[in-house]
């Protein structure tokens, strides 16, 4: 009788294996036995063996040697062999395998088999893995079955046709007539299949869509029948009559009503009816309501209906079921731009969802809250967002901070509020903000001129409380360096002033300098701030001098360079110190860009306007204005202060033309002898591929008898053959 | 003036929405709490290697979810809907346009069908009778779409297919082992097994019996099945 183990027994043995290795061994033996059985003549065991192989396949082991066996079994006259054969085909063969073509003939024959269960196998398999070629071959058969068969076969033929249309869209035309007549069927299975097929046809072909718009009244009638019908035990799910069919009809009506006034009008009443009569206490009803809402929002509905739909979503937000809250928010997200006011009405509930336990719900609530920020609600909504930030899951922090910054930038009611908000974020989540936050905040602070005193007070307090958040510490250092005099004055209008001495402030900066928590960039800020204070304090300049000289031998090259330069500022250029370290001008975010060159063999530092701000703060933290010569741009290891500098700037361009490139070569010498006895030449190469007309100003700075001088000359046009 | 061709307004949704003309449900997976796959149904042709990767991703993602989380996830451009029933996770991957709540209902319906068939279904039933689980699924879904919305009809179809299978098997046994048997007319005969199958002629030592009814009469005692 059946040779080899039964599949149950084999499964038991496999499960009994204690290790992966043991299991592999068992499987190898079993597969060998199965292969041997396959090679033998028909002995009534083939279906058992294929079933065993399919189990092995599901565990993840290779089973391709069973493919031909599937083909053989499908061709068998025995039902049980066909059943397993078709199952095997669906699991082991897909349209990419060559063997799949071999079953086309069997499928064709089985589609006309006397037993509907055999027909069913063929339909199921074709609808699951039929290739485009098989579909073309068998489409006429399917069409025949769509028209003349029992409901069991018709419903399967309809879905098989759906698969065919997905594979070979042109065949849609073949099925259109039959699908139309299927709408008059009473059988739910057939009706469902018909609606799915018609949906597919309409989605692919605008003419078919136009045709089926005429079927809207019929669809409305069917839907009404479902909604208003009494209890039907066969199709009832939690009080809803056939939710699957209802949802599909609604979706088809959505496609038919989209961009079409007539069709949309025809379904308005129905949608209102469904929306009000469907019980949403269980998932089935909610699924139907959800589909209704989506349909209302997508077609040309009356405004009253749209409001009703949004209110349904609002109700969903209060539902106990987390799933329903979640899909409510995804839907509201889709319509927040188009129906902004309607969604705003539910802002309170949405904001409450920020406190939900579920991470997915929280994420959706965050997205939606950020989309709902407006000038009107910015203050209250920001409170909620900041509260959320303090307890939000780590994976959402970066997104939340950038969302808050964007919202604050767009709708800040006052500069003070703006600064406070950013500081709050930095205190709560300073580690999760983007790099641009620091220069952006600094730029904001400079523009808020009346708030300098307030800001430096706030930041000083934050700094002495905690120096671990780098972004906050950097801004604090910069502020103290810049506005330290306001701090020391001991008076402030906007907030409680601090009573600090110069030493306290220097202590704070030194703590940052020395702390292992401070990043190199932060220490750079602290050192520069300390230096700046040398012109803002009166008593403790020597302390600053000694700090600066200590760091002149710091291991960190960046700090060392700064310290060395500041040292030089004290020693050799003390007369310039006040000018160099004076208060920064208000930085305009989109300030005109310049390209400044460096001489003395240095390479070009081509800076774009926006990068400039970053560059300024991180590199030297000093003034870098058009009109002031910068004498201390040095390279590590070189001697200090070249004797002259050459500046070239583009005039009357708000940004340097992108295509133009400047290259400065090294000057021929460092010193020009007196009395015209020699000269120094420096070549500048200008590449202007687009032949943009240029005006340039050339400024030469040099020292003569210990005086810094400069000469400026303007070049209004270059000789035309030059380009 | 040259005529500018008008783009049909009806074409616009197609131009924008051409992407969701793929299969709506891409796959359905059942796996245990240890991540062992118990059933896999794929509705689009993808290479074996890709299937394994997706399965791994699904099991990792779903098993990592906390107990009272919501049943919907996003993965690449798909919506993932999953639900845990006892020791099995039912997980399906849907197109972004699909109705997740309905997908939950669909998963629930499948579980009900399994439960009705196996009687208080448990994971072991699905392990040892995985073909049956597939047969039931294939009466409920076809090409990734729901094919029958009535629980009763699906159950009956599966039953009928099973009966057909049983009858065929018994037929073979009868034909392999010629036996004495007599015709059934209202009483159960202990000696032999009699099958009546629609439209078949049964050749026996007693003669040819033409069978017209669709009823299986039992009697396994003498058959040693």
């Amino acid at each position: 009788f059946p040779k080899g183990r039964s599949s149950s027994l084999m499964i038991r043995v496999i499960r009994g294996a204690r290790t992966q290795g043991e299991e592999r061994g068992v499987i190898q033996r079993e597969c060998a036995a199965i292969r041997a059985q396959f090679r033998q003549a028909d002995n009534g065991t083939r279906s058992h063996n294929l079933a065993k192989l399919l189990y092995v396949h599901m565990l993840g082991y290779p089973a391709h040697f069973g493919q031909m066996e599937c083909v053989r079994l499908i061709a068998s006259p025995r039902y049980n062999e066909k059943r397993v054969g078709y199952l095997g085909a669906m699991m082991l063969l897909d349209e990419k395998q060559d063997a799949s073509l071999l079953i086309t003939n069997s499928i064709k024959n089985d589609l006309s088999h006397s037993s509907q269960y055999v027909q069913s196998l063929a339909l199921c398999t074709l609808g699951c893995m039929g290739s485009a070629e098989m579909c073309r071959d068998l489409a006429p058969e399917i069409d025949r079955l769509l028209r003349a068969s029992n409901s069991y076969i018709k419903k399967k033929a309809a879905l098989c046709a759906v698969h065919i249309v997905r594979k070979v869209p042109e065949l849609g035309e073949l099925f259109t007539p039959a699908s139309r007549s299927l709408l008059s069927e009473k059988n739910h299975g057939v009706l469902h299949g018909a609606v799915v097929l018609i949906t597919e046809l309409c989605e692919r072909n605008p003419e078919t869509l136009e045709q089926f718009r005429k079927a809207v009244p019929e669809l409305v009638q069917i839907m009404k029948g479902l909604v208003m019908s009494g209890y039907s035990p066969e199709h009832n799910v939690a009080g809803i009559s056939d939710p699957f069919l209802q949802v599909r009809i609604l979706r088809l009506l959505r496609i038919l009503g989209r961009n079409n006034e007539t069709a949309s009008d025809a379904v308005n009443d129905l949608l209102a009816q469904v929306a009000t009569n469907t019980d949403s206490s269980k998932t089935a009803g909610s699924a139907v309501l959800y589909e209704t809402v989506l349909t209302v929002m997508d077609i040309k509905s009356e405004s009253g209906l749209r409001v009703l739909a949004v209110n349904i979503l609002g109700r969903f937000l209060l539902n106990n079921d987390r799933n329903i809250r979640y899909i409510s928010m995804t839907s509201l997200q889709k319509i927040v731009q188009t129906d902004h006011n309607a969604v705003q009405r539910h802002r309170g509930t949405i904001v409450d969802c920020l406190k939900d336990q579920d991470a997915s719900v929280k994420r959706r609530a965050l997205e939606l809250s950020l989309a709902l920020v407006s000038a009107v609600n910015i203050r209250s909504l920001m409170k909620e967002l900041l509260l959320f930030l303090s307890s939000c899951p780590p994976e959402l922090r970066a997104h939340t901070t950038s969302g808050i910054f964007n919202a604050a930038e767009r709708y800040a009611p006052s500069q003070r509020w703006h600064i406070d908000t950013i500081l709050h974020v930095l205190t709560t989540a300073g580690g999760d903000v983007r790099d641009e936050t620091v220069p952006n905040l600094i730029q904001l602070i400079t523009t808020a001129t009346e708030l300098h005193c307030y800001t430096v007070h706030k930041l000083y307090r934050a700094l002495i409380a905690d120096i671990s958040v780098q972004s906050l510490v950097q801004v604090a250092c910069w502020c103290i360096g810049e506005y330290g005099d306001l701090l020391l004055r001991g008076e402030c209008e906007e907030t409680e002033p601090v009573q600090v001495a110069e030493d306290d402030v220097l202590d704070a900066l030194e703590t940052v300098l020395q702390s292992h928590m401070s990043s190199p960039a932060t220490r750079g800020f602290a050192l520069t701030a300390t230096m700046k204070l040398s012109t803002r304090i009166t008593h403790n300049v020597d302390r600053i001098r000694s700090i600066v000289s200590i760091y002149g031998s710091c291991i960190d090259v960046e700090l060392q360079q700064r310290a060395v330069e500041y040292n030089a500022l004290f020693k050799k250029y003390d007369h310039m110190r006040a000018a160099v370290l004076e208060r920064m001008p208000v930085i305009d975010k989109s300030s005109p860009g310049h390209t400044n060159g460096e001489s003395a063999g240095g390479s070009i530092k081509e800076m774009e306007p926006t990068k400039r701000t970053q560059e300024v703060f991180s590199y030297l933290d000093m003034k870098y204005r058009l009109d002031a010569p910068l004498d201390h741009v040095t390279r590590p290891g070189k001697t200090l202060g070249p004797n002259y500098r050459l500046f070239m700037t583009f005039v009357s361009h708000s940004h340097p033309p992108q295509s133009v490139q400047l290259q400065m070569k090294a000057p021929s010498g460092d010193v020009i002898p007196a009395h015209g006895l020699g000269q120094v030449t420096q070549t500048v190469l200008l590449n202007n591929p687009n032949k943009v007309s240029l005006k340039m100003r050339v400024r030469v700075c040099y020292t003569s008898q210990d005086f810094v001088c400069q000469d400026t000359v303007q070049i209004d046009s270059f000789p035309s053959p030059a380009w | 003036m040259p005529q500018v061709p008008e783009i049909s307004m009806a074409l616009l949704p197609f131009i924008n929405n051409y992407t969701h003309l793929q299969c709506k449900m891409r796959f359905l997976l059942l796996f245990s709490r240890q991540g062992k796959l118990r059933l896999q149904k794929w509705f689009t042709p993808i290479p074996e290697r890709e299937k394994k990767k997706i399965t791994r991703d699904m099991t990792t993602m779903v098993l990592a979810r906390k107990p009272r989380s919501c049943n919907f996830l996003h993965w690449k451009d798909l919506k993932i809907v999953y639900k845990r029933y006892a020791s099995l996770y039912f997980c399906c991957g849907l197109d972004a346009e699909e109705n997740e709540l309905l997908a939950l209902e669909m998963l629930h319906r499948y579980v009900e069908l399994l439960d009705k068939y196996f009687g208080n279904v448990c994971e072991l039933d699905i392990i040892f009778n995985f073909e049956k689980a597939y047969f039931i699924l294939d009466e409920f879904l076809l090409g990734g779409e729901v094919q029958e919305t009535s629980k009763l009809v699906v159950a009956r179809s599966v039953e009928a297919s099973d009966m057909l299978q049983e009858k065929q098997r018994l037929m073979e046994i009868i034909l392999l082992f010629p036996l004495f048997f007599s015709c059934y007319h209202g009483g159960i005969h202990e000696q032999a097994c009699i099958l009546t199958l629609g439209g078949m002629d049964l050749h026996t030592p007693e003669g040819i019996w033409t069978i017209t009814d669709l009823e299986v009469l039992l009697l396994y005692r003498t058959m040693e099945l």
Side-chain angles (χ1 to χ4, degrees), chain A residues 291-452:
Chain A
E291 196 70 37
T292 311
V293 167
L294 293 177
T295 303
V296 167
M297 303 315 289
D298 210 3
I299 66 175
K300 294 185 174 298
S301 316
E302 292 169 356
S303 60
L305 194 51
R306 284 183 90 90
V307 171
L308 177 60
V310 178
N311 288 344
I312 290 175
L313 290 179
R315 248 190 11 247
F316 274 0
L317 280 177
L318 301 165
N319 197 300
N320 282 329
D321 188 334
R322 188 161 277 137
N323 295 325
I324 293 176
R325 290 206 296 278
Y326 177 89
I327 57 109
S328 159
M329 283 197 278
T330 49
S331 315
L332 287 169
Q333 187 82 42
K334 284 190 200 143
I335 61 172
V336 73
Q337 304 300 335
T338 49
D339 296 74
H340 192 88
N341 292 331
V343 180
Q344 278 282 9
R345 272 183 230 126
H346 300 279
R347 196 179 70 243
T349 331
I350 292 168
V351 164
D352 281 340
C353 288
L354 285 170
K355 304 184 189 103
D356 197 297
Q357 299 294 338
D358 184 274
S360 312
V361 172
K362 271 214 237 276
R363 183 187 296 265
R364 295 270 146 233
L366 174 65
E367 291 288 349
L368 210 41
S369 302
L370 289 173
L372 286 176
V373 176
S374 72
V376 174
N377 60 36
I378 180 74
R379 283 188 192 266
S380 52
L381 195 43
M382 189 54 81
K383 281 206 189 80
E384 297 288 346
L385 288 170
L386 290 172
L387 192 59
F388 172 69
L389 183 61
S390 55
S391 60
C392 90
E395 65 272 10
L396 288 179
R397 286 168 79 109
H399 190 67
T400 312
T401 55
S402 58
I404 288 176
F405 287 155
N406 287 339
E409 179 143 343
R410 287 176 70 186
Y411 301 111
S414 73
Q415 282 185 319
R416 177 170 161 170
W417 180 93
H418 196 173
I419 291 173
D420 281 342
T421 304
I422 300 184
L423 289 182
H424 191 130
V425 172
L426 289 182
T427 327
T428 325
D432 294 293
V433 301
R434 283 208 290 263
D435 293 338
E436 309 90 76
T437 312
V438 170
N440 286 345
L441 178 55
I442 290 177
Q443 190 266 330
L444 176 63
I445 290 172
T446 58
T447 54
T449 34
E450 318 81 58
L451 292 171
H452 286 168

Side-chain angles (χ1 to χ4, degrees), chain A residues 598-602 604 644 663-668 681-685:
Chain A
E598 284 185 299
S599 64
I604 293 294
Y644 93 104
Q663 193 190 357
M664 289 178 159
K665 306 264 185 187
S668 61
T681 30
Q682 183 174 19
T683 314
V684 177
L685 293 176

Side-chain angles (χ1 to χ4, degrees), chain A residues 1 7-8 11-12 15 23 51-52 54-55 57-61 77-80 83-84 87 90-91 94-96 115 117-118 120 123-124 127-128 152 155-156 159-160 162 166-167 187-190 192 196 200 202-206 209-210 213 234-237 242-245 247-248 251 254 258-259 283-284 286-288 290-291 316 322-324 326-327 330 334 357-358 360-361 364, chain B residues 8-14 17-18 20-24 36-48 51-52 65-66 68-74 79 96-102 104-106 109 123-124 126-132 134-135 138-154 156-158 160-162 164-165 168-169 172-173 176-177 225:
Chain A
F1 216 50
S7 52
S8 314
I11 295 173
R12 226 181 289 272
R15 283 167 64 77
E23 182 184 278
K52 285 196 274 183
L54 293 178
Y55 181 81
H57 170 73
M58 189 149 53
L59 289 178
Y61 295 91
R78 300 184 186 127
Y79 178 70
N80 54 337
R83 217 181 182 194
V84 178
L87 179 63
M90 286 192 274
M91 285 176 73
D94 58 38
E95 59 180 45
K96 304 220 167 70
S115 164
Y117 301 107
V118 173
S120 159
L123 283 166
C124 191
C128 175
Y152 181 70
K155 73 185 184 201
K156 293 178 192 258
L159 292 179
C160 202
V162 170
R166 285 179 183 153
K167 281 276 177 255
N187 178 293
H188 280 225
V190 178
H192 187 276
V196 175
E200 194 71 35
C202 290
E203 275 179 333
R204 287 175 186 271
N205 190 324
L209 177 67
E210 198 56 53
R213 281 216 179 96
E234 201 180 336
H235 296 109
N236 185 284
V237 181
D242 207 339
F244 299 103
L245 182 56
V247 166
R248 291 316 302 238
R251 193 167 315 167
R254 186 177 355 158
R258 213 182 256 156
N259 295 320
T283 313
S286 303
V288 173
Y290 177 39
E291 196 70 37
F316 274 0
R322 188 161 277 137
N323 295 325
I324 293 176
Y326 177 89
I327 57 109
T330 49
K334 284 190 200 143
Q357 299 294 338
D358 184 274
S360 312
V361 172
R364 295 270 146 233
Chain B
S8 162
M9 285 301 289
L11 264 180
L12 287 178
F14 303 97
N17 299 337
Y18 209 74
H20 65 261
L21 291 182
Q22 266 237 54
C23 185
K24 306 293 199 298
K36 283 219 120 102
L37 195 60
R38 297 301 178 206
L39 185 142
Q40 51 176 335
K41 192 79 184 177
W42 302 89
F43 299 108
T44 51
I46 27 185
E48 200 61 47
K51 285 183 193 172
K52 289 210 169 110
R65 297 281 281 179
K66 291 202 271 276
R68 273 183 317 245
S69 310
C70 107
N71 296 93
F72 311 135
L73 287 170
H74 264 279
K79 286 182 180 167
E97 302 291 318
E98 286 306 284
N99 184 325
E100 299 101 308
L101 294 175
L102 194 70
L104 264 183
E105 280 300 308
M106 184 268 302
R109 173 60 62 91
E123 192 182 343
L124 280 178
I126 300 191
I127 294 172
F128 283 95
N129 301 285
F130 66 94
E131 315 101 272
K132 295 290 162 67
Y134 276 103
F135 296 150
D138 288 338
E139 285 296 330
F140 175 47
L141 303 176
L142 200 158
E145 305 279 353
V146 169
Q147 92 180 247
E148 178 55 65
T149 58
S150 158
K151 260 191 285 195
L152 197 58
V153 172
V154 175
R156 280 202 190 128
S157 312
V158 180
S161 312
D162 281 350
L164 184 57
Q165 182 163 335
Q168 284 236 325
R169 207 162 73 86
E172 286 163 26
I173 291 164
L176 285 173
F177 295 95
L225 288 161

Side-chain angles (χ1 to χ4, degrees), chain A residues 424-493:
Chain A
H424 191 130
V425 172
L426 289 182
T427 327
T428 325
D432 294 293
V433 301
R434 283 208 290 263
D435 293 338
E436 309 90 76
T437 312
V438 170
N440 286 345
L441 178 55
I442 290 177
Q443 190 266 330
L444 176 63
I445 290 172
T446 58
T447 54
T449 34
E450 318 81 58
L451 292 171
H452 286 168
C453 187
Y454 166 74
T455 312
V456 73
H457 273 84
K458 262 205 107 143
L459 281 166
Y460 177 75
R461 287 200 173 95
L463 188 67
I464 53 178
D466 174 23
I467 58 167
S468 62
V469 180
Q470 299 307 294
S471 47
L472 190 58
V473 172
Q474 285 172 10
V475 179
C477 288
W478 189 92
C479 264
I480 293 171
E482 196 62 16
Y483 309 121
D485 49 321
L486 300 175
L487 192 61
L488 292 164
R489 258 211 313 246
E491 56 186 46
C492 183
E493 281 174 8

Side-chain angles (χ1 to χ4, degrees), chain B residues 25-142:
Chain B
M25 177 160 32
R26 308 287 176 89
F27 56 81
L28 174 67
L29 303 173
L30 267 67
F31 47 85
S32 70
R33 296 212 335 253
Q34 288 74 43
K36 283 219 120 102
L37 195 60
R38 297 301 178 206
L39 185 142
Q40 51 176 335
K41 192 79 184 177
W42 302 89
F43 299 108
T44 51
I46 27 185
E48 200 61 47
R49 199 180 51 239
E50 189 68 30
K51 285 183 193 172
K52 289 210 169 110
K53 176 161 193 314
I54 295 176
T55 309
R56 257 201 318 270
D57 284 351
M58 290 302 116
T59 47
T60 318
M61 261 192 346
V62 169
L63 292 174
R65 297 281 281 179
K66 291 202 271 276
R68 273 183 317 245
S69 310
C70 107
N71 296 93
F72 311 135
L73 287 170
H74 264 279
W75 180 79
K76 303 204 177 167
D77 60 335
L78 298 180
K79 286 182 180 167
I80 308 297
V81 176
Y82 75 93
K83 185 129 191 225
R84 181 171 153 200
Y85 289 91
S87 63
L88 273 180
Y89 285 91
F90 287 66
C91 168
C92 62
L94 309 168
D95 216 37
E97 302 291 318
E98 286 306 284
N99 184 325
E100 299 101 308
L101 294 175
L102 194 70
L104 264 183
E105 280 300 308
M106 184 268 302
L107 291 177
H108 191 75
R109 173 60 62 91
Y110 182 45
V111 172
E112 287 180 317
L113 291 167
L114 289 170
D115 198 46
K116 179 93 199 294
Y117 184 83
F118 288 108
N120 260 333
V121 66
C122 64
E123 192 182 343
L124 280 178
D125 290 321
I126 300 191
I127 294 172
F128 283 95
N129 301 285
F130 66 94
E131 315 101 272
K132 295 290 162 67
Y134 276 103
F135 296 150
I136 295 169
L137 186 62
D138 288 338
E139 285 296 330
F140 175 47
L141 303 176
L142 200 158

